[in-house]
Amino acid sequence: MNSSSLLSTFLRRGNLTKTSLRSMAGRKRFYKEASVAKANESFEVDLDKRKLKSPHGNILKFPNEALAHAVALEWNSQPQDLKLHLLPLTSLCYQVTDNIYDRTPQQIVETVMQYLKTDTVLYFMDDVPELFVEQQEKWGPVIEWVNKRFDIEIEHTTGFKFPNISENAVPKLTNHLLSFDDQSLLPFEKMSGILKSVILTVAVVDRHLTCVEAVELASLEQRFQISNWGNVEWHHDVELHHSIMQTAAAYTYIQLTNEVSTTSPLQESST
């Protein structure tokens, strides 16, 4: 969510280019409708008659109509006072379009796989008995699932030791991620960062867990602390829902870029 000077650029070029989501914060809605337009082999989103562009001035090109409509829906759902934190899918599309670090798919997946050895669900706290039991009950089945799903061996750890990870785990998980569309890999990285877990990310994309379940598992220790020490006003609830929203946006992007989908106009009944 970044870049600058929305209105001056908007008026000068008649397009949304090099704009900043932060700079738009607190501004009034400046368009009436977001719509989807076909552009050769891809789709674009128009805010009125102006193309939606990334912070680096690139027109957002969507590989399928479903993803374009999902982004347009975000903009059409905006209130009169712009709520830019409610554009998580648009923000992801900005990152994918600009890819400012110019990384290859292999490089992105290598970054994602770095989360595995520090994966949230692999570090149990046996010095806190009640939490340890909860981790066994809730994280244990997810570890069992990923081992069975990919025919690998990953074991949780306690204390400061690294978990035991079989030699075939990283290659198999790497190949799995590389089987997805290249544009999906930045959202994979985003979700892994939010959940601090490759295992939970793969489980969500594989539809073994819902986004809500994954976020709750990722924040298991925090929620345990809250249950013992209480909540800090509304902060933790806001943080929880923000994480769910970000995770859901990444999941939506991945699914819509890896599934064949078509849309057609609603046919009015002749009767």
Side-chain angles (χ1 to χ4, degrees):
M1 298 184 180
N2 33 27
S3 211
S4 62
S5 82
L6 167 69
L7 290 183
S8 60
T9 303
F10 183 80
L11 295 172
R12 182 172 68 252
R13 297 189 181 181
N15 285 298
L16 290 180
T17 175
K18 295 187 178 180
T19 61
S20 166
L21 290 184
R22 285 177 182 168
S23 71
M24 289 190 286
R27 295 185 183 274
K28 297 293 184 182
R29 179 166 166 165
F30 52 86
Y31 58 93
K32 291 183 179 180
E33 181 182 21
S35 59
V36 173
K38 185 79 165 65
N40 297 321
E41 298 302 315
S42 60
F43 295 87
E44 299 170 356
V45 170
D46 295 338
L47 300 184
D48 294 336
K49 295 183 179 180
R50 299 162 175 84
K51 299 297 180 186
L52 179 60
K53 292 189 176 185
S54 73
H56 284 256
N58 299 308
I59 295 176
L60 267 61
K61 301 283 187 181
F62 301 94
N64 59 66
E65 193 173 2
L67 181 59
H69 275 292
V71 169
L73 179 61
E74 280 193 335
W75 288 89
N76 281 328
S77 300
Q78 284 285 299
Q80 288 305 308
D81 292 316
L82 293 177
K83 305 294 184 182
L84 303 174
H85 61 283
L86 300 180
L87 294 171
L89 191 56
T90 298
S91 181
L92 267 179
C93 292
Y94 285 168
Q95 295 173 41
V96 171
T97 298
D98 288 337
N99 189 15
I100 58 175
Y101 298 110
D102 194 28
R103 292 180 296 166
T104 65
Q106 185 68 42
Q107 289 173 324
I108 296 172
V109 172
E110 287 175 358
T111 300
V112 173
M113 293 310 302
Q114 290 177 7
Y115 284 104
L116 184 60
K117 63 183 178 182
T118 57
D119 199 294
T120 295
V121 302
L122 297 181
Y123 287 82
F124 288 33
M125 297 183 65
D126 58 353
D127 56 337
V128 185
E130 291 181 5
L131 177 58
F132 184 62
V133 169
E134 197 166 351
Q135 289 170 329
Q136 288 178 310
E137 293 176 348
K138 295 183 178 179
W139 286 354
V142 182
I143 299 172
E144 291 178 9
W145 171 83
V146 77
N147 284 334
K148 183 177 180 180
R149 169 72 172 80
F150 295 99
D151 192 23
I152 58 180
E153 292 184 15
I154 298 177
E155 297 177 357
H156 76 267
T157 187
T158 57
F160 296 100
K161 298 179 295 182
F162 281 123
N164 293 322
I165 300 174
S166 60
E167 291 185 0
N168 68 337
V170 170
K172 283 198 172 186
L173 290 172
T174 295
N175 289 335
H176 177 65
L177 266 61
L178 288 172
S179 70
F180 287 83
D181 184 271
D182 289 353
Q183 291 190 13
S184 304
L185 299 180
L186 280 174
F188 257 109
E189 182 181 26
K190 179 75 172 180
M191 195 191 303
S192 297
I194 295 167
L195 300 174
K196 297 179 176 59
S197 171
V198 177
I199 294 174
L200 292 178
T201 297
V202 171
V204 169
V205 175
D206 217 54
R207 300 180 182 178
H208 178 70
L209 295 174
T210 67
C211 294
V212 173
E213 289 170 339
V215 171
E216 289 180 344
L217 288 173
S219 59
L220 183 63
E221 182 181 345
Q222 182 187 53
R223 292 189 299 111
F224 176 82
Q225 298 289 353
I226 290 172
S227 68
N228 283 274
W229 302 103
N231 207 343
V232 179
E233 288 296 320
W234 42 265
H235 172 73
H236 288 120
D237 288 337
V238 171
E239 186 177 32
L240 175 68
H241 289 294
H242 179 74
S243 295
I244 292 171
M245 180 177 66
Q246 295 288 336
T247 301
Y251 170 76
T252 298
Y253 191 105
I254 293 167
Q255 294 298 331
L256 292 182
T257 53
N258 286 278
E259 295 182 352
V260 177
S261 62
T262 58
T263 60
S264 58
L266 180 65
Q267 300 293 325
E268 294 185 5
S269 175
S270 58
T271 57

